[in-house]
């Protein structure tokens, strides 16, 4: 199916602002009917989220205060890509920094887009297993708790509103289908080279 | 458990910019260790996403070009809250405007937060059933295709990367557990009063 009747083409672009963290742009686009409109959106470097599976079937989670939301949230470990960093390397780095865990095996699951109307953000989703615990190395100014939960506890929290972070809810969809056998993963040792399809 | 060791408190706030669509703010916060930091984030009015269930078990979906992502995406019908609008009223309005469907029964599922590091956005998730098709009323400058799919097709697309929108993936988690009977919903007629818990 052609998407010409839906597609918007850029005809101009200006910087909206560049903050310490946020970087936003306003583009002028030609709509499918020939009219023009503006699109304002955040430029994001991309991120990685990791579902760490312990040998006893529990998962590793974090509790972190999220200022825009105004409360502590339950999330899987995640972090932004450094410039030029491969997603799996980012996942390994963030998992170690935030939780202290290293994983013997990694599996790439897929990607998600977070706020499709106003952000370029893409998140690469990995599973990790064969975990061993070392020392975590939080960034300065980073405060978060690490804890573990059973898959039933996590599912209950997704249902009752204790988990509302969309990337973590998406991880829960994957986890449920991976553990049921419906969505098998292609596991690779940590030394092996791989990446997003 | 106290969250004092995680919590950040606002000590100042400034407007970063106010565009046609995006509105962003930079707050100065006191970290748990007493240091200060800045938090830049988008102020969002909130939104609603609807999972419309047809009597034959199919679901109603949309294909829409998302400029920040640069391609057409498969999504459940969704839209932003108007000022003062109740979430279910927004869901009914957006479903009708975008797809032409009205629903006899509605069920509130839960909420999700989209980009917890840099947006206040909350999305209220509703299920709708008892659907009847009328005329859709797209906003000017809005272009999207409406189509239907089986739950197996949707699950396959979530797995193979055809669906990457996080709110739609979160809806898929709910759909799977609602249809399996694991997460029963409290259905109400369209005329009944309800809303987020």
């Amino acid at each position: 199916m052609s998407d010409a009747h839906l597609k918007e083409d850029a005809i101009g672009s200006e910087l909206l602002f560049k903050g310490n963290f946020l970087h936003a742009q306003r583009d002028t686009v030609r709509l499918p009917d020939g009219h023009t409109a503006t699109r304002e959106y955040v430029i994001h470097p991309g991120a990685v989220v990791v579902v760490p599976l312990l040998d006893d079937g529990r998962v590793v989670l974090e509790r972190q205060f999220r200022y825009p939301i105004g409360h502590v949230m339950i999330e899987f470990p995640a972090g932004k890509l450094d410039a030029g960093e491969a997603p799996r390397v980012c996942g390994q780095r963030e998992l170690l920094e935030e939780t202290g865990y290293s994983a013997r095996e990694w599996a790439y699951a897929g990607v998600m887009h977070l706020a499709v109307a106003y952000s370029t953000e893409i998140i690469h989703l990995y599973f990790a297993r064969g975990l061993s615990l070392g020392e975590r190395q939080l960034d300065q100014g980073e405060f978060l708790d690490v804890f573990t939960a059973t898959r039933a506890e996590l599912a209950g929290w997704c249902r009752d509103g204790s988990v509302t972070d969309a990337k973590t809810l998406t991880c829960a969809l994957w986890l449920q289908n991976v553990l049921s056998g419906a969505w098998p993963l292609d596991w690779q040792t940590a030394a092996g080279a791989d990446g997003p399809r």
Side-chain angles (χ1 to χ4, degrees), chain A:
Chain A
M1 186 180 348
S2 163
D3 290 332
H5 63 298
L6 300 174
K7 194 163 183 295
E8 301 170 354
D9 292 306
I11 54 180
S13 183
E14 61 179 310
L15 179 70
L16 212 40
F17 76 95
K18 191 150 188 165
N20 304 324
F21 171 76
L22 276 191
H23 170 193
Q25 192 166 305
R26 176 190 289 141
D27 289 5
T28 302
V29 302
R30 190 172 309 283
L31 300 175
D33 65 2
H35 288 89
T36 59
T38 56
R39 297 286 176 251
E40 297 175 350
Y41 58 101
V42 171
I43 309 283
H44 192 282
V48 174
V49 63
V50 180
V51 178
L53 301 173
L54 292 165
D55 292 344
D56 65 1
R58 300 175 74 90
V59 293
V60 180
L61 291 159
E62 299 179 353
R63 295 178 74 251
Q64 186 170 7
F65 185 81
R66 291 303 195 165
Y67 185 81
I69 312 301
H71 58 78
V72 169
M73 304 193 73
I74 295 172
E75 300 171 45
F76 278 111
K80 278 190 294 189
L81 291 165
D82 286 341
E85 188 177 37
R88 202 180 73 176
V89 172
C90 174
Q92 293 171 331
R93 177 178 57 72
E94 290 286 352
L95 181 64
L96 180 62
E97 287 177 2
E98 294 189 349
T99 73
Y101 280 103
S102 302
R104 196 176 57 242
E105 291 183 285
W106 290 77
Y108 174 72
V111 299
M112 68 188 101
H113 294 94
L114 266 282
V116 295
Y118 61 89
S119 172
T120 63
E121 183 170 7
I122 187 171
I123 301 187
H124 304 268
L125 196 175
Y126 284 85
F127 279 69
R129 70 182 181 190
L131 299 176
S132 53
L133 187 56
E135 279 290 315
R136 66 177 185 164
Q137 304 142 21
L138 291 180
D139 288 339
Q140 197 184 356
E142 197 172 30
F143 301 88
L144 57 88
D145 288 347
V146 178
F147 70 107
T148 67
T150 65
R151 79 188 257 194
E153 285 170 334
L154 176 63
W157 296 333
C158 292
R159 183 187 174 201
D160 74 11
S162 303
V163 171
T164 64
D165 171 53
K167 72 174 177 300
T168 300
L169 291 162
T170 297
C171 290
L173 172 71
W174 271 94
L175 181 64
Q176 184 165 314
N177 287 296
V178 165
L179 294 180
S180 77
W183 297 5
L185 295 172
D186 179 19
W187 289 97
Q188 309 208 3
T189 57
D194 77 334
R197 285 171 284 209

